[in-house]
Amino acid sequence: MGQAATLQGLTEAQAQEAARRGRANTPVSGSGRTTGRILRTTVFSFYNNTLFAIGIALLALGRYSDALVSVGLGIINAALAAVQELRAKRQLDRLQLLAREPVTVVRDGAERPAGPAEVVVGDLVRVRSGEQIVVDGPLVAGRLEADESLLTGESDPVAKAVGDPLLSGSSCSGGEGLQRAEAVGAESHAGRLTLAARADTTVLTPLQRRIELVVRLLILLVVLMSGAILAQAALDGSTVLRVVQTSAVLSGLVPYGLFFLIAVAYTVGAARIAGRGALVQRTNAVEAVSRVDVVCTDKTGTLTSGRLTPVEVVPAGRETEPAGARPDDAAEAGARALLGTFARSAGSTNATTAALAALPGERVDVVDEVEFRSSLRWSGITLADGTSLVLGAPSTLRPALADPALAAEDAVRRRTDQGLRVLVLARAQAGLRDADDRPRLPRLHGIALVALADELRDGVSEVLADLGAEGVAVKVISGDDPDTVAALARRAGLDAPAIAGPRLAALEGELFDDAVDTHGVFGRIAPEQKEQIVASLRRRGHQVAMVGDGVNDARALKAAQVGVAMRSGSAVTRDVADIVLLDDSFTTLPPARTEGRRIIAGVSSSMYLFLARVATQMLVILTVTLLGLGFPYTPTQVGLTLFTVGLPTFFLTMWARPEPPAEDLLVSLARFVIPVGVLTAGFATAIYAYLYRRITDGFTGTPFPDAIRLFEQYTGLTYGVDADFVEASATLGAQSAMSVFVSTTAIVLILLLEPPHRIFTAWAPVSSDRRPTWLALGLFVAFAVVLIVPATREYFGLTAPDPPVVQIPAVALVLWFVTLSLVLRHRVLERLLGLRGGTTVGA
């Protein structure tokens, strides 16, 4: 440290001036989005704006209860999204890579403590063993070893001499020195990493984008249709009440219940995944993880537990024998005992000594110790009798060994090719320091060769096999040697070609993307290369999940569609991750994928019912209006869809089976919704027109007194006195019969989506789940009760279940089911459009 005494730091006045000029190590603050922006984007999203607009319109029309439902759903949906986004913002805002502990700076020629934020450009900072490095800059005095694993993923400390750069966010693992601050705050390495980790990367999932597209199209159609129908009503001189009712029905065509259903499905899915050991921090990650086709994972801390296990001890003289000595071998037993004694007696502990401490041995008194440093690549202890034990890398100890055969290159290579870490234990009858008290190796006598293996996390091999069976590619990305990483990957069941980071860095454009696509193991990879690998995979159209635990993984986690962190990993990584594995278990990932697929399947099934209902009602309204037969619905009759569509979609979403996401969801929806909507609307319009004319003709002739009495009771009008008695009676009777038909068809659609028998398999194969069938039967019973009980019947604006109201829809229901089954089974829509032949589906 002689050089340190000649170095002068800043004066307090110079430091204060630098701080005023903004050159202090001020912690980075703020994230990608402010609280105000989050509230604006979540509360006033497209979905919620639609709900609020409908609610305001209904409120202006006097439909207070309907307005409350619409606005209430918007508020709930906004609250769920805002809470989630604000929680994520709080996590990101408190994210700091640097600790808050004081550091030592040289001011006015003397050392004094200072907070990390007080360090300015030009300061001299004293760096000691165990302390974090808080700024970027060169080492100007002393020698030390920097642990950069948090930044680079490289597990071995890096020796630093005068002139070598020190990066903020790393720590001093040995030695001492002075560093000159050159980059501070947001300009430092730690600051740039923190800002990158805080960047907002919220994106819509494919399902969310498709639903938004469908809803936008529906809103456009509803607006156009509403304008035409309301204009016609105004020209016809319709009453204000009729205009209000018509507007309420038309506004109800927007399937705003679908928005709420998605929010609930994501929330329930996140809760289920949490029960499996994974915390979902971004709700739509539940869906996103199910679409992943490439999983990128770090090695240490993700595939491995970070612990080492001794797997082989080869005594001297036996180095040429195959691995696996006899357990009763005395030489091996002695070597194991010395290894255990070394581990127990050494004052400094690391992953290696922790693993060797599991071997038999006893703690002995040590008079001197040389701690392990990467620059030495060995450590040793000297016992009271003058004997020294040395443990180190074979290549380092080989020149000092009396018999170097124990550390022969081929014997070592055979084991390193298997992903094992190889060390040599040796003995010396001398001390471990020279006359200047510097560590040096004396003449050594080999005792044993020891091989240690990284411990795979429980279930990793099974998870990799399951992912491979599902067509999910796994890519291992690490800062370690590529051959070592490849060997460990093979132990886990992943046999893939390896490539080193420097070779990858020399490639550009398509060559780079091709290399990323074709290789499965990446070694000596820098943190920025992890992000580049993820970006390359995304360019090739892959859905990527990145699994990591260190700060060096944070940028890659942000770049992936799904970032997955280990709970035991760094706080930075946990805060930026979409999903945190609470048990540090890689085995939690497949259940999370399964739950995501369940949600997609459930929401997709719900869209079939929602859109079929919307298509039917739109077509009925158009055709009946064009026929000049009045308006076919009242708002209360439309409310029946809560039981026939809203309730079933909720349960179908919760009960859905996990299935691979369909990339052609919109095409599949069109194939189902168009035939269902056209046929249902066609039969419904025929029923409406038939009964409308039948009732009208009945009252223009000689009506039955019982019929007059009933319709006077239903309408509140008097026959022969009120001019619109006949029209109101015909409309009410036709509406009732049509509502019975449309409601029962909606229930039957449940059986088509989840067929209990071959007769219902026009669209899907027979389902083993009988819950949808029981749900459909329960809805039939509930609807029958609605028709029978006067109070509920009157609430929904229906007449009594007289024969025409029940018999005609019943006959039409049978004809509709047969026709629809034939159309769906034989793909009539595709035939008419010339898209495909007559391939059948179902059974």
Side-chain angles (χ1 to χ4, degrees), residues 729-755:
S729 299
T731 300
L732 180 59
Q735 287 175 343
S736 298
M738 187 184 69
S739 294
V740 170
F741 172 75
V742 172
S743 297
T744 51
T745 56
I747 298 173
V748 173
L749 290 180
I750 300 173
L751 303 179
L752 285 173
L753 293 172
E754 295 288 340

Side-chain angles (χ1 to χ4, degrees), residues 2 392 461 679 828:
S461 299
L679 288 175
V828 173

Side-chain angles (χ1 to χ4, degrees), residues 191-210:
R192 292 194 302 272
L193 276 178
T194 302
L195 286 175
R198 288 183 174 187
D200 176 45
T201 55
T202 302
V203 294
L204 294 178
T205 62
L207 181 61
Q208 289 175 314
R209 290 196 298 270
R210 289 167 182 165

Side-chain angles (χ1 to χ4, degrees), residues 42 78 164 201 230 272 347 458 481 500 583 602 653 717 760:
T42 55
D164 291 337
T201 55
L230 291 176
R272 286 176 174 172
D458 292 338
D481 180 84
D583 298 328
T653 300
L717 304 175
F760 296 100

Side-chain angles (χ1 to χ4, degrees), residues 245-267:
Q245 291 177 334
T246 302
S247 301
V249 171
L250 291 172
S251 65
L253 293 177
V254 179
Y256 46 78
L258 192 58
F259 309 156
F260 180 68
L261 180 68
I262 294 172
V264 171
Y266 282 160
T267 303

